[in-house]
Amino acid sequence: MLSFIIAATLIAATAAQACNYSSICANHTMCQYPTTNYGPNCLAPVYSGVNATTQQQIVDLHNNLRRKVAQGNETRGNPGPQPSAANMREFTWDDELATIAQRWANQCTFQHDTCRSVARFYVGQNLYMSLSTGTPNSIQNWTAAVQAWYDEVQNFNKSHINPFQFSSATGHYTQVVWADTYLVGCGFTAFNNSDGWYRKFYACNYGPGGNYLNGIMYKTGTACSQCPAGTICDNGLCA
Ligand SMILES: *[C@@H]1O[C@H](CO)[C@@H](O)[C@H](O)[C@H]1NC(C)=O
Ligand SMILES: *[C@@H]1O[C@H](CO)[C@@H](O)[C@H](O)[C@H]1NC(C)=O
Ligand SMILES: *[C@@H]1O[C@H](CO)[C@@H](O)[C@H](O)[C@H]1NC(C)=O
Ligand SMILES: *[C@@H]1O[C@H](CO)[C@@H](O)[C@H](O)[C@H]1NC(C)=O
Ligand SMILES: *[C@@H]1O[C@H](CO)[C@@H](O)[C@H](O)[C@H]1NC(C)=O
Ligand SMILES: *[C@@H]1O[C@H](CO)[C@@H](O)[C@H](O)[C@H]1NC(C)=O
Ligand SMILES: *[C@@H]1O[C@H](CO)[C@@H](O)[C@H](O)[C@H]1NC(C)=O
């Protein structure tokens, strides 16, 4: 009996500690889901997590596409071509964003979470889900996920960069290339579902988040010509 009470107290203390995010919002993902357990929507979880090799791959995938736009090499759009970007930051990995993205991926729910922001800034989010008929293998195809988000550029109107105008048809693209965003952290969960389809769920969180109505998606101009103070040019991106 005594040991039960001690155990219960320890669990309560752990949950409360994990929920320091309640100061940001009541329904923060880390507060709603205080443990790393899979949520009920996962039904039969297979595996989860993003290793260091894959983290670097995700960062590189984003930076390659950001460079393409920054250097004025993206000809697509409605209309295009996309103008080059003078102040686009280079991405690096962020463990706190990744922890929150993984916590959400563990819920196996293909919609945005309510609140994922951190003390430093508002956090944006892109989600991708692939379905297969066989039990998910160990391959995580982040190329497919990031490219699918980016390819919305074909519908993006180049006149909507500054001031920024949001469209749900291009919201993933505009987060991927939002100039001020410089941190990304992602989570992954593969699971078996009862409908006969197996799923791989990809979730990326971005900070500071983009897609601000009437904000500046990026400053147009020669790549790196308006890098923010404290950053230096790295092949078209401000690092
Ligand atoms: C909550 O705690 C984590 C881990 O110590 C820390 O990284 C994070 O910044 C804290 N969040 C807030 C809002 O203080
Ligand atoms: C938090 O989530 C609960 C349950 O989903 C909902 O009833 C409540 O309105 C939410 N609160 C806020 C501040 O969003
Ligand atoms: C996924 O579901 C299939 C069909 O029910 C089953 O054969 C397989 O063992 C499951 N795999 C895992 C890892 O749960
Ligand atoms: C953009 O185009 C230029 C000129 O063709 C090329 O040198 C550069 O490597 C391209 N950059 C990217 C990121 O594709
Ligand atoms: C990292 O994860 C990927 C995707 O699951 C996997 O293909 C790869 O083998 C892993 N690499 C290492 C070094 O564990
Ligand atoms: C990943 O997805 C891309 C784009 O859909 C595809 O070309 C590639 O073959 C896929 N890679 C693997 C290992 O499945
Ligand atoms: C692109 O945006 C401009 C400015 O808002 C607008 O005049 C034009 O009609 C738009 N083009 C398309 C194809 O939506």
Side-chain angles (χ1 to χ4, degrees), residues 20-21 23-24 96 119:
N20 60 347
Y21 290 92
S23 61
I24 295 173
E96 186 182 14

Side-chain angles (χ1 to χ4, degrees), residues 25-27 32 114:
C25 50
N27 280 354
Q32 281 192 301
T114 307

Side-chain angles (χ1 to χ4, degrees), residues 14 36 53-54 83-85 95 101 120 144 162 171 183-184 193 196 238:
T14 305
T36 57
T53 309
T54 304
S84 58
D95 285 330
R120 289 170 288 166
N162 185 8
L183 294 167
V184 63
N193 212 325
C238 307

Side-chain angles (χ1 to χ4, degrees), residues 62-63 65-71 83-91 173 176-181 217-219 223-224 226-228 231 236-239:
H62 283 92
N63 281 334
L65 295 168
R66 287 168 74 82
R67 277 203 174 85
K68 182 175 180 179
V69 172
Q71 296 179 346
S84 58
N87 67 330
M88 198 175 287
R89 300 287 307 269
E90 186 171 87
F91 273 11
Y173 166 70
V176 166
V177 300
W178 192 267
D180 288 341
T181 302
M217 186 176 150
Y218 57 78
K219 293 178 184 168
C224 284
Q226 294 185 68
C227 281
T231 65
L237 296 179
C238 307

Side-chain angles (χ1 to χ4, degrees), residues 46 135 192 198:
V46 180
T135 295
N192 258 350
Y198 309 112

Side-chain angles (χ1 to χ4, degrees), residues 10 125 134:
L10 278 175
Q125 183 176 71

